[in-house]
Amino acid sequence: MTIQSLDLPEIPHPGTLIGIEVGSVTVSFVQVDFSGQILKAVYLFHKGRIRECFRSAEGQLDMSAVQGVAVCNAHCFQPGMPSYNPQVAVISATKRLCSQARSLLLVGAEKFMLVRFDEEGNFESERSNSSCAAGTGSFLDQQASRLNLSGTGELSAIALKNRQPIPDIASRCAVFAKTDLIHAQQRGYSIEAICDSLCKGLAINIVDTLFNQDIPPGPIFFAGGVSKNGAVVRHLEELLNQRFLMHEYAHCLGAAGACYLWLNEKQPFSLQPVASLANLLLPANTVKSYFYPPLEITISDYPDFSRAASGNFRPPGSSPAAEVQVEYFQALTAGSSLETYMGIDIGSTSTKAILTTTDNLPLAGFYAATSGNPVEAIRAVFEAIAHMTSGRKVSLSFLGVGTTGSGRKFIGKIIHADLVLDEITAHARAAFELNPATDTIIEIGGQDSKFTLMTDGRVTFSQMNAVCAAGTGSFLEEQARKLDCPLAAYTQLAPGVSSPLASDRCTVFMERDINHLLNQGYTVSEILA
C-alpha cells in the first residue's frame, strides 16, 4: 500500500491537530502532526455519554501538543470550529491513506456505503443502505450483547475459529435474529458457528444492497468500524472474490479526513493550545423540545389485568426463565371434577394456555416465556396445571385440546392435539365469542403484528408486518433493555409524559436516537414515552 502525500501548507508549529467524528454509536479521535502523519487514534463507544468520552480521550492523547481541532459535523460543537462533511472527510482520508484504491467500502454502526473513483482518483459515484440496519455494525453489537459477549471484537474472534456448518439466522432484523439465535443454540450449534453465521449474514446484506448490479473496479479499500471484524472481512472477500485493501486506522477515517481537509485548505491558521476537548462541546440542553403530547387513554378504559387469584409457578430444578404466570378466573372447589377444553398458543416470544369449561367460561390461564424452546415451555405449563390440580385437589377431564401460534404444528404433534389452527382463525373465533359485533382485530405480539377484518365472525381480510420488528412487542422490549427499565415498569413510567421525536422503524436506529436524547438531557421516562 502506498501513501499519497497531500500538498500541505508549511506551518511553523511543532504541535499537532486532532480530528473528531461523533457517530451514532462511537466517537473517534485522531491526532496528527502538521505533515499529516497519524500519531494516535482513540475509538470509543459513547452510549449517549459523549462528554465522558471526550474526557477519557484527553487522558489518552498528548493534549500539551494540540494546536487545533477539526471535526466532522458541527451539530454538537461550539460554533466557529473547522467542520467538514463526513463523506467528504472519508474520501479525503482514503486519498491520503490508500491512494491506489478505486473503490471505498465503508461500513459503520448504522450506515454503509460504496464510493467509486475514476482512474484519476476523483469521486465518481456513491451508493448507501436504506432506512434498515441490516448490514450495519450495530446489528452485530446487539447480537453480541444477546450472546453475553464483551462486544463485536469478541464475536469476530469466536467466528474466525468456526470450522463447522452454520445455522440459518435472520440477518434482516436485529429482533428476529434474537429468536433464531435461541433456536440455533437449542439445536446444538456451537457459539463459533452462530457467530460465524451472524457475520456471514451481515456480509450478504451488504453485498445484496451495494453490489447487486455489478462488482466495482478494484482494489477496494474497506473502512469503518466493521472493517475491524475479521470474520466479516473474510465472508465479504469470498462473496466478492476480491482481496480488500486495509489500514490500521480505517475505523477512524472521518476523524482523520477532517484533519487532512483542514491542512489542505492552504489558508492562514488561527492556532492556539487546546486545554480541554470536553469544553469544545455545546453545553447540555437546559430547554428541551417535545413533539408528542403526554400519553393518555381518553377514548377507552384500560382494563385492570391484576387478579387477586394469581401467582407464579416454577417447575422444580428449572431456570427462572421457565417460570409460569398463573391466573385463576373461577373458584375451584376442592374435590370437584371438571370437564374442560384447553387452548395453547405457542408464540416466538411467549407460550400461553387457557382452560375453559363446556360453557366456554375461562377457568385458568398460564403464561411462560418460550425462550427458543417450545417443548420446555409447554412442559412447564403442564407442570403448572398439574401443580394447580394437586394443590386444589381438583380432577380435570380434557374433552379437547387445540394449538395455535408459530409452534402450533410442532407442539400439536407432540401432544396429539385435536385441532391445529392458524393464529388469524383462532383470533377471529375468540373475538367473535367475546363480542359477536367485532369487525376489526388489531393484535400485537412479540414479533408479529396483525390487522384482521371480519364480517359475522368470518375473516374477510388480514395483513401482517413484513420482515421488520417495527410495531411489535419486541421493539418495546429492546428499548426497555437498553434503558435498564424492567418491561413491567414501562407502563408506569411512560403515561402522562411528553416525549421528543425519535425513530420508530428499527431497534438499531432507535439506539442512535436514545443515545442522542440521553446526551441532550431527556429523562428515561420521556424517551420511553
Side-chain angles (χ1 to χ4, degrees):
M1 179 182 300
T2 60
I3 300 297
Q4 179 187 19
S5 296
L6 293 178
D7 186 12
L8 301 177
E10 295 183 4
I11 302 178
H13 290 275
T16 62
L17 300 176
I18 290 181
I20 305 175
E21 181 178 24
V22 179
S24 61
V25 175
T26 62
V27 55
S28 53
F29 305 82
V30 171
Q31 189 165 21
V32 305
D33 61 23
F34 285 100
S35 70
Q37 182 69 33
I38 296 179
L39 307 174
K40 178 78 173 182
V42 178
Y43 185 78
L44 302 171
F45 288 84
H46 57 70
K47 296 182 179 179
R49 296 184 287 271
I50 295 175
R51 196 172 299 274
E52 293 179 18
C53 288
F54 273 59
R55 294 193 182 101
S56 175
E58 289 174 6
Q60 302 178 57
L61 300 168
D62 182 9
M63 296 302 299
S64 64
V66 178
Q67 297 292 308
V69 176
V71 302
C72 286
N73 282 337
H75 67 276
C76 61
F77 292 96
Q78 298 281 1
M81 297 185 62
S83 175
Y84 303 94
N85 176 278
Q87 182 170 316
V88 176
V90 299
I91 292 174
S92 173
T94 300
K95 291 182 178 180
R96 163 74 186 192
L97 302 178
C98 193
S99 60
Q100 71 268 43
R102 284 292 307 278
S103 302
L104 165 65
L105 175 61
L106 181 75
V107 184
E110 65 172 35
K111 292 288 292 183
F112 56 86
M113 68 177 181
L114 175 67
V115 178
R116 298 189 183 199
F117 305 107
D118 62 21
E119 294 182 356
E120 285 73 39
N122 298 314
F123 173 84
E124 187 175 75
S125 65
E126 179 265 344
R127 297 187 66 189
S128 61
N129 62 317
S130 61
S131 57
C132 176
T136 65
S138 285
F139 174 87
L140 287 183
D141 291 339
Q142 287 195 6
Q143 309 319 315
S145 175
R146 292 193 181 102
L147 292 169
N148 295 318
L149 303 178
S150 60
T152 51
E154 185 179 2
L155 186 148
S156 172
I158 292 173
L160 286 170
K161 298 177 183 177
N162 181 50
R163 300 295 182 270
Q164 302 298 322
I166 62 176
D168 291 328
I169 295 177
S171 56
R172 295 294 301 170
C173 176
V175 171
F176 292 162
K178 174 175 62 175
T179 300
D180 285 353
L181 288 181
I182 298 173
H183 285 310
Q185 290 171 320
Q186 296 296 338
R187 293 199 303 270
Y189 284 97
S190 67
I191 185 67
E192 291 83 5
I194 291 172
C195 291
D196 198 21
S197 177
L198 288 168
C199 293
K200 184 175 182 179
L202 189 87
I204 291 173
N205 283 326
I206 293 172
V207 171
D208 288 347
T209 303
L210 299 181
F211 300 90
N212 60 345
Q213 296 178 352
D214 61 344
I215 304 299
I220 301 174
F221 179 34
F222 190 20
V226 178
S227 68
K228 296 172 64 108
N229 187 314
V232 173
V233 173
R234 181 186 65 187
H235 287 299
L236 281 171
E237 289 183 336
E238 290 176 353
L239 291 168
L240 298 173
N241 195 28
Q242 286 204 34
R243 294 280 293 177
F244 290 135
L245 298 175
M246 309 292 291
H247 194 280
E248 62 176 316
Y249 296 120
H251 58 297
C252 301
L253 215 57
C259 288
Y260 297 143
L261 287 169
W262 192 28
L263 288 171
N264 207 42
E265 285 182 348
K266 297 182 181 180
Q267 296 177 1
F269 290 82
S270 175
L271 298 175
Q272 57 184 355
V274 178
S276 171
L277 296 177
N279 290 340
L280 302 176
L281 292 168
L282 290 171
N285 279 352
T286 56
V287 178
K288 295 180 287 189
S289 60
Y290 298 96
F291 188 83
Y292 298 106
L295 291 170
E296 295 178 320
I297 296 179
T298 58
I299 299 176
S300 61
D301 294 324
Y302 192 71
D304 181 7
F305 289 101
S306 62
R307 296 183 182 279
S310 63
N312 294 331
F313 169 78
R314 184 179 301 170
S318 66
S319 66
E323 187 172 78
V324 181
Q325 299 176 29
V326 183
E327 293 183 280
Y328 300 104
F329 305 114
Q330 304 287 336
L332 300 179
T333 305
S336 62
S337 179
L338 300 172
E339 292 184 332
T340 183
Y341 293 95
M342 180 165 64
I344 304 171
D345 180 5
I346 307 96
S348 60
T349 303
S350 60
T351 294
K352 289 79 64 180
I354 190 168
L355 301 177
T356 65
T357 68
T358 54
D359 298 327
N360 290 343
L361 295 176
L363 285 173
F366 307 86
Y367 184 100
T370 305
S371 299
N373 193 332
V375 174
E376 289 301 317
I378 200 63
R379 178 180 294 164
V381 168
F382 283 176
E383 289 194 44
I385 294 174
H387 180 266
M388 177 193 74
T389 56
S390 62
R392 284 172 163 71
K393 297 181 175 56
V394 173
S395 175
L396 298 179
S397 176
F398 291 91
L399 302 180
V401 177
T403 61
T404 189
S406 58
R408 62 186 181 276
K409 295 180 180 179
F410 178 47
I411 295 300
K413 187 173 183 179
I414 290 176
I415 68 173
H416 302 288
D418 301 284
L419 196 62
V420 177
L421 291 173
D422 65 86
E423 295 161 85
I424 293 174
T425 302
H427 292 159
R429 183 68 186 89
F432 181 77
E433 182 69 28
L434 294 172
N435 185 348
T438 300
D439 61 6
T440 306
I441 303 172
I442 299 174
E443 190 265 342
I444 301 176
Q447 295 186 10
D448 293 337
S449 294
K450 304 180 188 68
F451 176 83
T452 303
L453 295 179
M454 298 166 51
T455 301
D456 297 328
R458 297 180 181 273
V459 174
T460 58
F461 174 82
S462 66
Q463 180 73 40
M464 67 180 296
N465 62 315
V467 190
C468 178
T472 68
S474 287
F475 178 86
L476 294 179
E477 186 178 27
E478 286 296 314
Q479 314 323 319
R481 182 181 63 83
K482 291 170 190 168
L483 293 166
D484 295 324
C485 168
L487 197 57
Y490 210 118
T491 53
Q492 300 171 6
L493 296 173
V497 179
S498 298
S499 56
L501 181 63
S503 170
D504 59 3
R505 292 297 304 164
C506 178
T507 59
V508 172
F509 292 160
M510 191 63 181
E511 178 181 29
R512 167 204 61 192
D513 289 357
I514 286 176
N515 289 338
H516 180 65
L517 293 170
L518 287 173
N519 188 56
Q520 287 186 312
Y522 288 93
T523 66
V524 169
S525 293
E526 290 169 337
I527 296 172
L528 289 173

